[in-house]
Amino acid sequence: MSLSAIRSTFTFLFTDIESSTQLFQQYPHAYPQAVTRHHELLRKAIATRGGHLFETIGDAVFAAFPRSADAVLASVEAQRALSAEKWADVGKIRVRMGVHTAEADLREGRYFGPGVQRCEKMMSTGYGGQVLVSGATAGAVSNQLPDGIGLRDMGTHRLRGLASAERIFQVTHPDLRSEFPPLKSLTTFLSKLPARAGTVVGREVERTEIQRLLRSSRLVTITGPQGIGKTRIAIELGADLLDDFPDGVWFVALGVAGGPSRPAAEGVAETLGFDLERVRNDPAALLESLGTKQLLLILDGCETSLGECALLVERIIHHSRHVRILATSREVLAITGEVAFRLPGLSDIDSLALFLERVVPLNSGFAVPADQAALVSQLILLLDGIPAAIEDAAREIAASSLADVVARPRDERWSDAGVALLPPTEQTLLQRVSVLEGAWTIEAAEAVASGDRVRQADVLDLLASLVEKSVVLTQTMDDGSIRYRIPELLRQHGQRALAENGELEGLRLISRHLQAATTGERSA
């Protein structure tokens, strides 16, 4: 993959069809033809104004323009053409559009930068037939639009998943619909979601799957190791699902690994604005108040008080008909009806995209020389797709060379807090299997881990517990057998602990003998 990029200011036009899922279900044969015609009309309008249509996903269209005014004019011309089209069986195709001007990197035909996500988030607040433009675009085109095209100030809105608010304007024209419901932003909806520092990179597949699970299950628990992004994706999902919950989406921070926690019931009560003293004196009051609510509760950090959190969730589900719960935890709550989703690490491509997106704002002169591309690849592999560790490495680039960042040990920050929650026997097992490379068998784990403080008969149960806690990962081989592995940062952590207590060299010797024996068997 080439790392070279062209950095410039572009104006993005993002579009999608309103109620596309319902249209497809209602007109399974006619709708795909309508989408094809919709794409043709958009391509023509974009090309006429010098835009570059760089991606289509389903019915969504993404284009970039060198000039802001051309992007706005293309959106108006596209809306007029869509409105004039005869859509036959499907009745009417209504398209919402967003236009935003921002600096971005053009790399291998794809655009990277916070402005890309901002444009899409802004578009998603609108309605079919509506064109929304950001404050940056409005400022750029203020004296460049022809008579008849205007900009109506819609106020400042907080966008889903973004830290800073956006001043939004609606494009007006005599041929365009002018009146719409309030924008679907966080400013409009009842909710209590924290702002995020930075955009989410990747995770489209995971978000779609968790949304599907939440529509069919009252409780979904996102599991995964420290730093994998459980909290961030939960907040993003909460923003995505605001339309589905009339009584709002509410985020409850129960604690962080290795830090203080608070009673789960009090956290929920405080977040929802209930009287804490009343809840302490009458715990049933909280359950009664939730009985008729249609809301989503996001319970973040359940591993800090797992038993208490599980009990509260069980009671809420029993006493209410419509409350749904999205929990984040290193391990499942283990109650009836729970559906678990283990959040994987980012792919190598998304890891690279996240690293580059985070590093450039902190170091505007950053570029990857051709002879150092291998160092970036090495860093990405080392960080095992853990977003928090990738962002931490990106921050270090501002004060260090790329080679120094790659060489710097970083296991303490991303491993100590999570490992500290493990029982002593599990910590010992985790340390000892850290000498095993790649994916390994239960027999290999028994060989290196058995001994003082860990019985061989207990190794399988201990491994199973670590798998449940997202510390050890499993891999199913082609022959159906199971292999285990631990993330690279945890391997570093374990080997550091072994070195401190004098076990490292002896266990490494056992590991080398095992590897040699396995290699010999394969050769034979």
Side-chain angles (χ1 to χ4, degrees):
M1 177 184 298
S2 171
L3 296 175
S4 60
I6 299 173
R7 165 154 287 214
S8 186
T9 297
F10 304 93
T11 296
F12 297 100
L13 168 61
F14 283 10
T15 81
D16 71 6
I17 296 176
E18 185 177 57
S19 304
S20 56
T21 302
Q22 294 91 318
L23 287 170
F24 181 75
Q25 293 173 344
Q26 190 173 358
Y27 308 104
H29 301 294
Y31 181 67
Q33 298 177 5
V35 171
T36 299
R37 178 57 179 160
H38 147 272
H39 278 75
E40 292 173 354
L41 295 174
L42 283 170
R43 283 194 182 95
K44 180 179 179 181
I46 291 166
T48 299
R49 291 294 174 177
H52 169 216
L53 195 160
F54 62 89
E55 191 169 13
T56 60
I57 302 177
D59 57 66
V61 171
F62 307 90
F65 294 77
R67 295 180 66 251
S68 301
D70 287 331
V72 175
L73 292 172
S75 69
V76 172
E77 290 163 8
Q79 289 287 20
R80 294 177 69 189
L82 291 164
S83 179
E85 184 72 14
K86 304 300 182 184
W87 295 104
D89 293 341
V90 299
K92 195 74 173 176
I93 294 289
R94 293 183 173 87
V95 178
R96 56 184 181 174
M97 302 184 180
V99 183
H100 176 54
T101 304
E103 194 175 59
D105 289 334
L106 174 59
R107 186 183 306 110
E108 296 186 345
R110 295 180 63 189
Y111 294 82
F112 296 88
V116 179
Q117 286 84 3
R118 181 167 289 269
C119 185
E120 186 175 10
K121 298 292 185 184
M122 182 184 65
M123 176 205 68
S124 68
T125 69
Y127 298 85
Q130 190 173 32
V131 179
L132 300 176
V133 305
S134 66
T137 301
V141 303
S142 59
N143 298 316
Q144 299 179 21
L145 298 178
D147 293 342
I149 298 180
L151 299 176
R152 178 186 299 171
D153 192 343
M154 307 297 287
T156 299
H157 291 260
R158 187 176 156 206
L159 302 179
R160 303 178 182 188
L162 300 184
S164 59
E166 180 64 54
R167 184 84 171 269
I168 298 178
F169 296 79
Q170 177 184 311
V171 176
T172 62
H173 185 276
D175 294 340
L176 302 186
R177 177 183 168 190
S178 60
E179 298 302 324
F180 297 91
L183 297 182
K184 295 177 286 187
S185 69
L186 295 182
T187 305
T188 306
F189 283 89
L190 176 68
S191 67
K192 188 171 183 179
L193 289 171
R196 296 308 302 163
T199 55
V200 174
V201 173
R203 300 300 196 198
E204 290 83 3
V205 173
E206 292 89 343
R207 285 164 61 181
T208 299
E209 177 60 13
I210 298 171
Q211 284 187 37
R212 184 188 70 79
L213 294 175
L214 267 175
R215 291 191 174 102
S216 59
S217 306
R218 297 281 305 280
L219 168 63
V220 176
T221 302
I222 303 173
T223 65
Q226 180 189 7
I228 202 69
K230 301 184 295 294
T231 299
R232 183 167 295 187
I233 197 171
I235 293 171
E236 193 79 1
L237 284 162
D240 290 341
L241 295 169
L242 280 170
D243 296 359
D244 296 352
F245 296 94
D247 293 311
V249 175
W250 305 88
F251 179 90
V252 184
L254 297 176
V256 295
S261 62
R262 60 173 170 170
E266 291 188 11
V268 172
E270 183 178 9
T271 299
L272 293 172
F274 296 147
D275 187 328
L276 281 181
E277 194 61 35
R278 183 187 174 197
V279 170
R280 293 188 183 109
N281 295 331
D282 182 12
L286 174 61
L287 301 176
E288 292 171 3
S289 66
L290 291 172
T292 60
K293 299 291 186 182
Q294 297 182 52
L295 56 81
L296 174 66
L297 273 181
I298 300 175
L299 302 181
D300 184 55
C302 291
E303 71 272 6
T304 58
S305 53
L306 195 65
E308 180 198 353
C309 191
L311 180 60
L312 175 64
V313 169
E314 209 165 26
R315 288 174 174 171
I316 290 175
I317 290 175
H318 178 73
H319 284 85
S320 65
R321 295 181 57 189
H322 304 295
V323 172
R324 291 183 183 260
I325 297 172
L326 178 62
T328 74
S329 178
R330 282 182 52 223
E331 55 186 305
V332 296
L333 304 185
I335 63 178
T336 303
E338 179 182 27
V339 176
F341 181 90
R342 179 161 292 175
L343 190 63
L346 293 175
S347 67
D348 289 347
I349 292 176
D350 286 336
S351 294
L352 175 61
L354 176 62
F355 176 75
L356 294 173
E357 180 172 297
R358 296 298 192 259
V359 74
V360 171
L362 298 169
N363 187 350
S364 59
F366 176 79
V368 180
D371 60 352
Q372 293 192 24
L375 281 175
V376 175
S377 297
Q378 182 182 345
L379 180 62
I380 294 303
L381 290 174
L382 171 68
L383 300 178
D384 230 350
I386 299 176
I390 294 168
E391 292 176 328
D392 186 51
R395 284 190 290 270
E396 292 176 6
I397 290 290
S400 303
S401 69
L402 184 56
D404 287 342
V405 172
V406 173
R408 182 174 298 124
R410 57 186 67 253
D411 59 293
E412 294 187 32
R413 179 171 181 183
W414 301 113
S415 302
D416 281 353
V419 172
L421 291 175
L422 300 176
T425 308
E426 291 182 6
Q427 291 189 40
T428 299
L429 177 75
L430 185 64
Q431 292 167 11
R432 290 175 179 174
V433 296
S434 69
V435 299
L436 300 172
E437 297 182 358
W440 31 270
T441 63
I442 180 64
E443 290 79 13
E446 290 172 342
V448 299
S450 302
D452 180 37
R453 290 173 289 163
V454 178
R455 298 190 309 160
Q456 180 174 341
D458 294 334
V459 170
L460 180 58
D461 288 340
L462 291 170
L463 271 181
S465 178
L466 292 173
V467 169
E468 290 178 356
K469 295 171 182 175
S470 305
V471 176
V472 172
L473 309 176
T474 59
Q475 180 179 341
T476 303
M477 311 304 288
D478 292 339
D479 62 1
S481 62
I482 299 296
R483 297 288 189 273
Y484 303 87
R485 75 175 186 88
I486 57 178
E488 182 60 31
L489 295 181
L490 285 179
R491 288 189 73 239
Q492 289 184 4
H493 174 91
Q495 292 185 19
R496 175 166 53 85
L498 291 175
E500 290 172 357
N501 62 32
E503 293 186 78
L504 180 60
E505 291 308 317
L507 291 176
R508 274 181 171 169
L509 182 61
I510 296 174
S511 176
R512 284 194 290 268
H513 285 318
L514 288 170
Q515 187 175 9
T518 302
T519 303
E521 290 175 4
R522 289 174 181 168
S523 300

